[in-house]
Amino acid sequence: CQVVTADVLRDARILILHMGRDFSFDDCGRAFTCLPAEEPGAPAEALVCNLDSLLGTLTQRLCVGSPPGVWVCSTDMLLTVPSAPGISWDSFQGVRVIAVPGSPVYARNHGVYLTDEQGLVRDIIYKGTEAQIQQCAGPDGTVPLVCGIVFFSSDAAEQLLSTHVIPPLDACTYMGLDSGAPPIQLSLFFDIVLCMAGRMTEEDFVKGGSDASVRSARSVLWTALRGFPLSMACIPNASYDYMTTSASDHIRSLTLLPGSASHLSFCKTAHSHVDQPCLLEDGSSVTNCLLEGAVRLAAGSVIQHCHLQGPLEIGPGCLLSGLDMGSSAALRGCPLRDIVLQGHHIRLRDLPCRVFTLTGRLDDWQSPVEEATYLNVPWAEFFKRTGIREGDLWDAEMPRRSRCLLSARLFPVLHACETLGLEDVLWLLAPAAVAGEQPARWRTAWRMSWQELLPCLDTAAELGTRQALFFLQGQCKVRQVLLGRQDSSLLPLARSAVHEGYHEAVLSTLDEVASTASDAGIAARALACIAEVLGCMARGEGGLRSGPAANREWASAFGCLERGDIASGVRELAAERQKWMSRPALLVRAARHYEGAEQILIRQAVMSSCQFVTVGQAELPPLGHWVQVACPARLDLSGGWSDTPPITYEHGGAVVDVAVLVDGCRPIGARVRRIVEPELRLVSLSGTPQSEAVTELVCRELEHLQDYCQPHAPGALLKAAFICTQIVQFPSQKPLQVQLMESFGSGFEVHTWSKLPHGSGLGTSSILAGAVMASLYRAAGKAASTESLIHAVLHLEQRLTTGGGWQDQVGGLVPGIKIGRSKAQLPLRVEVEQIPMPDGFTQTLNDHLLLVYTGKTRLARNLLQDVVRNWYARLPSIVQNTDALVSNAEECAQALRQGDLPLIGKCLDCYWQQKKCMAPGCEPLAVGHMMDALRPHVYGQCLAGAGGGGFLYVLTKAPRQKEALHQILANTEGLGNFSIHSIEVDTGGFSVEVVGCDMK
């Protein structure tokens, strides 16, 4: 706004945070004092300071529901407020102060409000007598403490603002100062708010001003504001802690956990990397630190913004801040107990310096020498112990009453010929233990008092050091999370690193982890994290994150990874990455290629499962005789997505599957026969075996097989099956025809079919792969168990590069109803347990299960990429959802054992919600309408597979409801061409038969 008028304030919601005064325990002031807290749900990772806490408390709690106006809040206190503070704003007018309940004892050193029955403020009593404080007490004995928060309605704010042009109040603002007026200082509470208190008279109020200009200002304020009612809202269960200059108070507030009312949760170590956390006692606190080696920290002590190297022992009652690695040696063997030791950045004109200050926990800054202590002992004792004289610390002309710790020149800043360090103040703790040159060096150094240091503090340098340390411990966190396989999300740290220009440091740490990791699983996650950093650097521009990743520039690096040389591959990726950093579109493409690289490593991790494939010998069927395999489809009843790599081997998976006949038949099949010509004939049929061929291929040369790993290439699945069953060696020096004649004296012809529509969600492609491999093994005179086939299909789908989990083949190759499980480990092994059910319950399920074809085809090609990306980012919602998928699968298995239809239905509904959390967008609108229409008639319903379209399966409340449901859906608008199919549990499983050669 060019001009601030009444109209601007009319609907404005303004918050003014007062920065407060200097603070002895934090060079950035009370507002930026760091709290020992982390916010796991925050989008970006950052230190939490008092300002963040207050901002959260005000915006999410206190100010909720308030009318337009101006909030003013001090930042020199720690405040906790319950989530529903219960302030009523009905018919509110004027000004309102916020109070928190406190004890009369605490109130002796603070302000309290005296109010009437209507909650209007009569007076503000500061450091009152016991009787005055008692007057303010409520029925529970607590008193309403002034906590530094005031709300001005738009009207009151407008009136207050109008005074800034009236002398002498114009001198309160920079406008007045710049006009040459002598500055005057006013108190928000005792000069502005107090004039509205009911008990105040104009004469008393104006007379209370400290000098003529303040009295004149008070007179103007009285005229402007006296007409506004001043009400108080005291927040039950809130707490307020003024940040005093007492070290004991400050340490206590950082080591005591805040009450349940706080929106922050304090933790012992916040944003810190600690090599040996067991050495930190309960009741200690570490924030923004890197503690290497053995650093022992006693209860009641705090370390902030330090990088220390053990062995170190820090006793109780200490506050250490701003110490770097170089300080560690000086600290060793030093008796650290009840002391405050701080490193400061100061600037003397243009000269940057480091200065260390040392005080005792019990010292008071302003008490005169006769009554005060230094390092917790009387000054006289300190002088005697060290040989320091008063004349070393204060000028002779300074009056004795003004001599105090604040003005004592104790802290060495510069020396003519030597570099100063921490040891130049530490000797004051144990002067007997140091040689004579240390005191001499202290005497000859130029020293300053805390009072003199304050104006020279270099806040920018201090914040810069904290930031650098934050990202240094962040890099340690990256290593720890990845190498320790922890479920912490690194995405918030990546966002912060990009935002604050530390992305190169994080990228190089991720390169290092990826290239030195002990297994492909860890390396893959590290590459996924690099993709996230690159994605963050694009800042939402540059196109979709999911997409192709086969640009030739990256081929050499990919080749190294395919060969298993991860270290070289990561190095080449990093070198190539440098060429793609200049603009968002390139960054996003680079991120896609890192995801492509991560997929190579996932494939290698999953292919370790081929050790669970054992193939025996069987009789070779006669030439021309067909080996035919027919398979049921599968329904996933719960747990799907937990079988998807890398989730399945990093988290562990469990899926309940049922093998089903659709409309009375097994809809998926393959048949193979040996033929005289040494070639491979590949025929894919759609519909029934008697129908027309869709694609027909003949492979006579090995190079005809080389596109086996491109899923959309014609016949890719069948080509991959020949290679994975080792009927054909690829690559090989031997031509294809020679291989076939040497091993079998024949070629092979394969036919496959599926009666299910594309994208059905019933596991077609994986079950088809199982059917093809089962028939190929048998036709080649080999025998493989069902367990071997399950793992062989996993291996095949990795070679085919479609990825995918294990639930489809478990569902279609193992008969009946079962639960498949995988542990959180490599090599990946799937174990299947049949679920025993009550007698007759299989028939009950057949009567109550129906399949509805939605008429929608799933369009989401990148669903899997998105799920894997979110898993690698360890988004808390995805980690929790994955836990829930597995536990819901176990619950569903239990419901089946008990034969409990309503409970099974509940598991299905729960499963559908979990699928939607895992892959948002998998419920098309029409499908949502369909489910709404069916809901009153079913116990539960879910889209099969990943969702997005295909088949919906429902568990009806009444048996045999096919016609009834058809009627319901026919009367529902906007559904398109749906169809309803009967399904029944296939208790026989897939069939393998060798039949004669006379098959049309």
Side-chain angles (χ1 to χ4, degrees):
C1 303
Q2 298 300 311
V3 181
V4 179
T5 62
D7 301 343
V8 172
L9 286 172
R10 185 64 33 222
D11 297 310
R13 295 168 188 277
I14 296 169
L15 169 61
I16 297 171
L17 289 157
H18 279 169
M19 291 308 298
R21 296 163 283 279
D22 301 312
F23 189 42
S24 339
F25 308 114
D26 198 297
D27 292 358
C28 301
R30 288 175 173 88
F32 290 95
T33 294
C34 284
L35 304 178
E38 292 186 357
E39 295 181 281
E45 194 163 314
L47 297 175
V48 178
C49 56
N50 190 31
L51 187 82
D52 298 309
S53 172
L54 288 168
L55 206 49
T57 299
L58 286 152
T59 53
Q60 293 156 31
R61 299 190 172 192
L62 270 181
C63 305
V64 175
S66 68
V70 178
W71 285 86
V72 184
C73 177
S74 140
T75 56
D76 54 11
M77 79 291 198
L78 300 169
L79 185 70
T80 55
V81 170
S83 53
I87 304 173
S88 166
W89 294 99
D90 296 343
S91 63
F92 165 78
Q93 286 179 304
V95 177
R96 176 164 284 172
V97 289
I98 303 295
V100 303
S103 69
V105 175
Y106 188 78
R108 282 180 205 158
N109 291 312
H110 294 277
V112 287
Y113 294 114
L114 177 66
T115 58
D116 63 16
E117 292 75 42
Q118 282 76 47
L120 293 174
V121 177
R122 297 185 62 216
D123 202 355
I124 305 173
I125 294 156
Y126 182 62
K127 291 191 177 180
T129 63
E130 209 165 317
Q132 286 175 312
I133 292 169
Q134 211 48 54
Q135 254 189 308
C136 306
D140 61 355
T142 63
V143 293
L145 297 171
V146 175
C147 74
I149 302 178
V150 186
F151 175 69
F152 294 87
S153 66
S154 298
D155 293 339
E158 183 192 333
Q159 204 57 43
L160 178 59
L161 192 62
S162 68
T163 64
H164 88 278
V165 290
I166 303 171
L169 285 169
D170 60 344
C172 290
T173 69
Y174 70 87
M175 307 283 269
L177 291 180
D178 291 354
S179 310
I184 63 168
Q185 188 175 12
L186 293 182
S187 153
L188 172 64
F189 286 93
F190 294 107
D191 293 315
I192 295 175
V193 173
L194 187 63
C195 74
M196 293 173 275
R199 202 161 75 171
M200 196 48 65
T201 65
E202 182 173 8
E203 188 186 347
D204 288 346
F205 178 65
V206 174
K207 215 163 54 184
S210 53
D211 59 38
S213 62
V214 174
R215 286 193 286 277
S216 167
R218 280 185 163 209
S219 179
V220 174
L221 289 166
W222 179 274
T223 308
L225 299 175
R226 179 61 187 176
F228 290 104
L230 176 65
S231 58
M232 177 193 82
C234 190
I235 314 295
N237 301 319
S239 70
Y240 154 88
D241 206 352
Y242 179 73
M243 298 166 80
T244 68
T245 53
S246 149
S248 299
D249 288 352
H250 187 59
I251 290 169
R252 192 190 67 247
S253 65
L254 294 178
T255 50
L256 269 185
L257 300 183
S260 56
S262 175
H263 64 286
L264 289 177
S265 50
F266 277 22
C267 38
K268 196 195 306 185
T269 53
H271 301 294
S272 297
H273 176 79
V274 181
D275 273 356
Q276 299 186 27
C278 57
L279 297 181
L280 308 180
E281 289 184 15
D282 286 343
S284 63
S285 167
V286 177
T287 305
N288 196 34
C289 288
L290 195 50
L291 305 184
E292 299 176 26
V295 178
R296 191 178 289 280
L297 184 63
S301 281
V302 175
I303 310 184
Q304 292 198 324
H305 316 300
C306 290
H307 183 181
L308 299 174
Q309 172 75 56
L312 286 176
E313 188 145 347
I314 293 140
C318 292
L319 170 64
L320 271 60
S321 171
L323 306 180
D324 55 18
M325 274 287 266
S327 311
S328 302
L331 286 170
R332 267 178 219 128
C334 200
L336 301 177
R337 189 185 182 97
D338 291 327
I339 58 132
V340 177
L341 184 55
Q342 296 171 277
H344 310 273
H345 288 272
I346 67 165
R347 187 168 279 276
L348 304 166
R349 297 234 171 93
D350 291 329
L351 178 68
C353 292
R354 288 282 282 146
V355 177
F356 297 96
T357 59
L358 173 70
T359 54
R361 178 173 67 82
L362 306 172
D363 298 345
D364 180 78
W365 286 102
Q366 289 175 306
S367 300
V369 174
E370 286 76 16
E371 303 155 23
T373 60
Y374 178 54
L375 298 179
N376 310 313
V377 299
W379 278 100
E381 190 181 322
F382 169 75
F383 291 143
K384 186 175 164 191
R385 201 167 70 184
T386 56
I388 291 172
R389 300 181 296 275
E390 280 197 44
D392 294 326
L393 304 181
W394 296 282
D395 294 337
E397 55 271 21
M398 180 176 276
R400 283 198 65 74
R401 295 299 296 169
S402 305
R403 295 184 184 188
C404 60
L405 177 52
L406 193 61
S407 58
R409 293 196 182 113
L410 278 159
F411 311 118
V413 177
L414 291 170
H415 194 280
C417 41
E418 297 188 62
T419 309
L420 297 171
L422 186 59
E423 57 279 7
D424 293 292
V425 292
L426 278 178
W427 75 274
L428 300 170
L429 282 173
V434 298
E437 69 263 13
Q438 196 80 58
R441 188 159 84 160
W442 180 88
R443 271 208 170 77
T444 51
W446 179 44
R447 300 183 311 282
M448 291 170 81
S449 66
W450 181 238
Q451 203 168 20
E452 292 165 331
L453 284 170
L454 268 174
C456 306
L457 291 175
D458 188 345
T459 315
E462 178 58 36
L463 287 170
T465 303
R466 290 181 187 185
Q467 184 188 45
L469 186 54
F470 175 79
F471 285 108
L472 198 57
Q473 65 79 30
Q475 286 164 262
C476 294
K477 175 181 176 172
V478 167
R479 287 188 199 96
Q480 190 176 346
V481 165
L482 294 179
L483 298 173
R485 297 181 167 86
Q486 296 173 4
D487 278 342
S488 306
S489 177
L490 293 174
L491 184 56
L493 182 66
R495 288 195 186 110
S496 297
V498 168
H499 192 74
E500 307 211 10
Y502 277 83
H503 48 272
E504 285 296 348
V506 172
L507 285 170
S508 64
T509 303
L510 289 166
D511 287 337
E512 172 209 321
V513 171
S515 57
T516 57
S518 55
D519 70 48
I522 292 174
R525 186 176 171 192
L527 296 183
C529 291
I530 293 175
E532 283 293 8
V533 174
L534 298 173
C536 290
M537 288 172 71
R539 297 179 191 263
E541 297 174 25
L544 290 172
R545 275 291 302 276
S546 297
N551 187 295
R552 290 203 187 113
E553 304 294 322
W554 300 82
S556 170
F558 280 20
C560 293
L561 297 178
E562 296 277 13
R563 290 193 299 276
D565 183 357
I566 293 178
S568 302
V570 172
R571 264 199 311 278
E572 286 199 30
L573 286 171
E576 184 59 36
R577 177 176 80 213
Q578 291 306 320
K579 307 171 196 168
W580 296 66
M581 305 280 269
S582 58
R583 60 179 195 273
L586 292 178
L587 284 161
V588 169
R589 288 165 65 196
R592 286 183 200 144
H593 283 81
Y594 264 94
E595 288 184 350
E598 144 224 312
Q599 286 297 331
I600 294 171
L601 297 183
I602 292 174
R603 287 204 291 278
Q604 291 177 346
V606 174
M607 285 200 286
S608 62
S609 67
C610 67
Q611 61 188 268
F612 304 117
V613 178
T614 50
V615 179
Q617 286 305 310
E619 193 186 339
L620 192 68
L623 197 72
H625 281 230
W626 289 102
V627 174
Q628 179 159 310
V629 172
C631 294
R634 73 97 187 88
L635 286 185
D636 51 321
L637 298 189
S638 53
W641 283 123
S642 74
D643 65 306
T644 306
I647 300 172
T648 191
Y649 61 75
E650 290 187 350
H651 177 278
V655 183
V656 174
D657 273 320
V658 51
V660 292
L661 306 177
V662 179
D663 292 330
C665 72
R666 293 183 178 140
I668 300 159
R671 54 193 176 114
V672 180
R673 65 175 175 180
R674 290 192 299 121
I675 53 176
V676 175
E677 298 83 358
E679 63 190 25
L680 306 178
R681 281 187 212 151
L682 314 177
V683 183
S684 298
L685 305 148
S686 106
T688 58
Q690 288 76 32
S691 74
E692 294 302 300
V694 175
T695 53
E696 195 162 338
L697 281 175
V698 179
C699 303
R700 297 190 177 92
E701 313 289 338
L702 271 183
E703 45 267 32
H704 293 162
L705 299 179
Q706 70 188 16
D707 59 359
Y708 79 92
C709 56
Q710 291 163 20
H712 301 292
L717 177 92
L718 303 182
K719 294 172 185 177
F722 275 105
I723 293 166
C724 290
T725 51
Q726 297 183 335
I727 289 172
V728 175
Q729 302 298 321
F730 181 91
S732 168
Q733 298 301 310
K734 276 188 190 175
L736 177 62
Q737 299 191 341
V738 175
Q739 287 190 40
L740 291 171
M741 291 312 287
E742 280 184 4
S743 301
F744 305 100
S746 68
F748 287 87
E749 181 175 352
V750 186
H751 292 205
T752 62
W753 64 90
S754 163
K755 299 176 187 176
L756 298 169
H758 180 70
S760 67
L762 300 180
T764 310
S765 54
S766 300
I767 297 170
L768 189 62
V772 171
M773 290 184 94
S775 52
L776 278 178
Y777 276 134
R778 187 69 193 82
K782 298 175 181 181
S785 66
T786 303
E787 188 195 7
S788 291
L789 278 175
I790 289 167
H791 292 92
V793 173
L794 253 180
H795 181 245
L796 177 140
E797 290 190 326
Q798 297 307 319
R799 296 289 292 269
L800 190 61
T801 70
T802 50
W806 44 256
Q807 64 142 320
D808 297 349
Q809 59 266 36
V810 167
L813 299 178
V814 180
I817 300 183
K818 57 265 157 183
I819 181 166
R821 298 185 183 91
S822 62
K823 294 195 175 89
Q825 62 185 45
L826 288 171
L828 170 57
R829 182 171 200 164
V830 184
E831 294 170 313
V832 184
E833 176 199 333
Q834 287 283 350
I835 298 174
M837 295 187 299
D839 289 347
F841 190 65
T842 302
Q843 186 52 46
T844 306
L845 277 178
N846 293 343
D847 291 341
H848 287 264
L849 271 174
L850 281 172
L851 207 51
V852 182
Y853 184 59
T854 61
K856 300 283 168 207
T857 305
R858 185 170 79 236
L859 300 174
R861 287 255 327 264
N862 302 320
L863 216 54
L864 178 64
Q865 265 174 299
D866 294 344
V867 170
V868 170
R869 181 180 310 121
N870 291 341
W871 169 255
Y872 269 140
R874 289 303 193 278
L875 299 182
S877 60
I878 296 295
V879 175
Q880 286 158 14
N881 196 49
T882 307
D883 292 341
L885 280 165
V886 171
S887 59
N888 188 49
E890 297 293 352
E891 231 167 278
C892 184
Q894 192 52 36
L896 285 159
R897 286 185 199 102
Q898 293 163 0
D900 185 335
L901 279 180
L903 189 53
I904 296 166
K906 196 174 146 205
C907 291
L908 298 188
D909 281 343
C910 176
Y911 181 32
W912 180 234
Q913 296 309 318
Q914 291 165 348
K915 282 188 184 182
K916 289 196 288 185
C917 169
M918 214 66 179
C922 67
E923 182 179 282
L925 265 176
V927 173
H929 293 323
M930 191 178 272
M931 293 175 96
D932 290 342
L934 295 174
R935 192 158 288 117
H937 311 279
V938 302
Y939 285 125
Q941 53 188 335
C942 186
L943 274 181
F951 281 98
L952 170 73
Y953 59 91
V954 298
L955 187 67
T956 59
K957 289 178 179 173
R960 296 177 290 283
Q961 291 291 291
K962 189 172 174 182
E963 271 65 45
L965 292 197
H966 196 282
Q967 204 54 52
I968 291 162
L969 293 179
N971 295 334
T972 306
E973 280 181 34
L975 294 188
N977 54 342
F978 67 91
S979 54
I980 299 187
H981 305 263
S982 66
I983 43 175
E984 52 192 285
V985 179
D986 183 356
T987 50
F990 74 102
S991 58
V992 182
E993 47 185 341
V994 179
V995 289
C997 33
D998 182 29
M999 284 193 76
K1000 293 188 183 63

